[in-house]
């Protein structure tokens, strides 16, 4: 088989090289991974900004792509596509950031810090993107109360706009688990907010 005969495997329907092919090429030519960065940096930065805040997103976006670059040899296109694979690294970075933030807050509480010294958690920042101002406090509280797994599924779906299949890949969980966690999280939010879920754009059935 000639090189020309294999070329279509490297292209998506638009005629450009596919994400998956770029990751494969970057194993031999590392600089090609920069094209993955160029394709997804704005999207990943925006997601981190919604989950955390703009400053944290500025600081952490590079960490997401550095982690993905270091693990590029483990990417398996048979398990999914590059986009949710990157969101998986974003989730790991968020979790590490949250643990570090929790330690800082605990240190403040043990010391001379007051409530005014503490920054809002990421769930509080999420609700700044919600138009229903009167429900922001309750929404923030309910988001904080959700189990981590349920909250991650909900926010990947609502803020990252990932499909069920992509969420499953990003979190490395079964497809069916995504649906059950998402349904449970939405049900809890609806019950707390009088049948309206502002995070998801209104009533959801």
């Amino acid at each position: 088989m000639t090189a020309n005969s294999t070329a279509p495997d490297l292209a998506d329907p638009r005629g450009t090289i596919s994400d998956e092919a770029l990751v494969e090429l970057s194993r031999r030519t590392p600089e090609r991974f920069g094209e993955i960065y160029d394709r997804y940096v704005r999207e990943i930065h925006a997601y981190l900004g919604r989950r955390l805040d703009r400053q944290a997103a500025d600081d952490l976006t590079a960490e997401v792509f550095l982690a993905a670059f270091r693990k590029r040899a483990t990417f398996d296109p048979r398990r999914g596509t590059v986009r949710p694979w990157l969101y998986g690294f974003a989730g790991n970075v968020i979790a590490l950031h949250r643990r570090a933030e929790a330690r800082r807050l605990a240190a403040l509480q043990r010391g001379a810090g007051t409530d005014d010294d503490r920054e809002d958690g990421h769930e509080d920042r999420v609700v700044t993107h919600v138009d229903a101002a009167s429900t922001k406090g309750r929404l923030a509280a309910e988001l904080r109360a959700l189990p981590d797994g349920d909250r991650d599924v909900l926010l990947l779906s609502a803020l990252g706009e990932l499909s069920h299949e992509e969420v499953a890949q990003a979190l490395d969980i079964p497809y069916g688990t995504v649906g059950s966690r998402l349904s449970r999280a939405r049900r809890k939010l609806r019950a707390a907010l009088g049948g309206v879920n502002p995070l998801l754009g209104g009533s959801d059935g």
Side-chain angles (χ1 to χ4, degrees), residues 75-200:
F75 174 73
D76 185 353
R78 294 170 298 182
R79 298 186 60 187
T81 58
V82 168
R83 182 173 180 254
W85 180 67
L86 291 173
Y87 272 92
F89 289 107
N92 292 338
V93 166
I94 287 168
L96 289 172
H97 177 84
R98 286 170 58 192
R99 287 196 288 270
E101 184 177 66
R103 289 194 294 270
R104 289 195 299 271
L105 293 178
L108 281 174
Q109 289 176 329
R110 289 194 298 269
T114 67
D115 288 342
D116 292 336
D117 296 322
R118 288 179 281 174
E119 297 181 357
D120 292 338
H122 74 284
E123 292 86 2
D124 294 313
R125 299 184 188 109
V126 166
V127 297
T128 66
H129 300 275
V130 179
D131 292 332
S134 64
T135 64
K136 284 182 180 179
R138 284 182 292 153
L139 177 58
E142 291 302 317
L143 284 170
R144 283 196 299 269
L146 289 174
D148 288 348
D150 291 2
R151 183 170 55 245
D152 288 341
V153 166
L154 176 67
L155 296 179
L156 280 170
S157 176
L159 300 184
E161 299 182 354
L162 270 64
S163 68
H164 282 36
E165 185 175 355
E166 289 175 323
V167 172
Q169 184 190 344
L171 298 178
D172 195 22
I173 59 177
Y175 179 92
T177 301
V178 173
S180 62
R181 288 183 180 179
L182 187 58
S183 176
R184 182 167 56 239
R186 286 174 169 171
R187 188 166 57 249
K188 289 180 179 178
L189 289 181
R190 281 200 305 269
L193 301 174
V196 175
N197 188 341
L199 186 63
L200 300 176

